[in-house]
Amino acid sequence: MNAPISAALSLFSRLPPAERFHVHARAFSAPLEAIAARVPHGGTVADVGCGHGLLSGLLALSDSRRMVHGVDPDPRKIEWARQGPGWLSNVKVEVGTVETLAARLPGHFDAVVVSDVLYLLPVERWPGFLREARRLLRPGGRLLVKEAEGDGTWKHLKCLAQEVVMVKLLGRTKAGGSLVLQSRGAVEALLRQTGFTPRETVALGAGYSTPHILYVAEAAGEAAASAP
């Protein structure tokens, strides 16, 4: 395991064994370092749906000039995050959603990171979610969305089965509707419709049993962002 992710995992040493196991499993199963490498240096970053805060901790440790603000609707996970990366001086975590954060801090962030969140929402809520993410960004700010790609492969089917266990059977993750994986074309089109200019689409599934895919987009002009 690389030094940056190992350092981030060390932040969770105070957590109970079950929570440490969950965080370590997340580190091994998701390309978090590839996401962090594309976040702009310095500035302010919103980690929306931060969960236990592993990505927040990785972002904060990899650049001490970066201020990371993590929000998650699950109070349990935020409590664990406060006992982990929440101790860092450049991390703040709180219970909240993209809507509550955008209402309070519109135009405040240089980057917004959304990792494995959209698939938990009904697909009809995706446009509203992305517009709220757009509201968080300064002009020209960067959005990074990491999802599993809906490509119809065995990895796609395995990912859905795994999440049914995590969401519906174990209750480890909160979901707002059916579990949905979208194709890259559909997600890129949706980004354009909600005020973003897609800049990079990166397949990150090599070496993983999940079809990870990362979308990097830039906040477009105000006119595009305000379109219905």
Side-chain angles (χ1 to χ4, degrees), residues 5-212:
I5 197 71
S6 295
L9 285 170
S10 71
L11 298 171
F12 299 90
S13 60
R14 304 180 188 87
L15 270 59
E19 302 307 322
R20 291 202 307 273
F21 176 82
H22 181 83
V23 173
H24 277 74
R26 173 71 170 158
F28 279 104
S29 63
L32 300 182
E33 289 179 288
I35 301 170
R38 289 170 169 82
V39 176
H41 294 293
T44 54
V45 181
D47 183 4
V48 178
C50 66
H52 288 70
L54 178 57
L55 181 55
S56 293
L58 178 61
L59 290 170
L61 289 174
S62 60
D63 187 344
S64 61
R65 302 168 300 159
R66 185 184 282 149
M67 297 300 300
V68 184
H69 192 139
V71 293
D72 196 278
D74 190 337
R76 302 169 304 170
K77 290 185 177 179
I78 288 299
E79 185 56 36
W80 300 129
R82 287 184 176 129
Q83 296 179 44
W87 286 95
L88 297 174
S89 61
N90 58 334
V91 172
K92 177 180 180 179
V93 292
E94 64 179 350
V95 177
T97 63
V98 68
E99 292 87 0
T100 61
L101 194 60
R104 216 172 73 242
L105 295 172
H108 180 77
F109 295 94
D110 298 292
V112 172
V113 180
V114 182
S115 182
D116 297 316
V117 173
L118 286 177
Y119 79 100
L120 296 169
L121 302 175
V123 70
E124 59 267 21
R125 287 183 56 192
W126 289 28
F129 183 103
L130 291 172
R131 289 191 180 97
E132 291 299 300
R134 171 64 183 81
R135 284 183 64 203
L136 287 169
L137 286 165
R138 296 187 172 113
R142 187 177 301 180
L143 174 72
L144 299 98
V145 176
K146 206 296 289 175
E147 283 292 318
E149 183 178 8
D151 57 5
T153 64
W154 71 266
K155 288 187 177 184
H156 170 163
L157 299 175
K158 169 264 171 189
C159 182
L160 286 180
Q162 174 182 302
E163 293 306 323
V164 166
V165 172
M166 294 297 289
V167 174
K168 301 192 181 294
L169 298 183
L170 299 181
R172 296 292 307 186
T173 304
K174 289 184 178 292
S178 301
L179 303 176
V180 179
L181 303 185
Q182 293 277 67
S183 69
R184 67 178 67 187
V187 176
E188 289 170 345
L190 186 55
L191 287 169
R192 294 186 182 94
Q193 292 166 16
T194 53
F196 293 97
T197 302
R199 295 301 187 195
E200 186 180 18
T201 300
V202 190
L204 296 173
Y208 295 95
S209 62
T210 295
H212 297 296

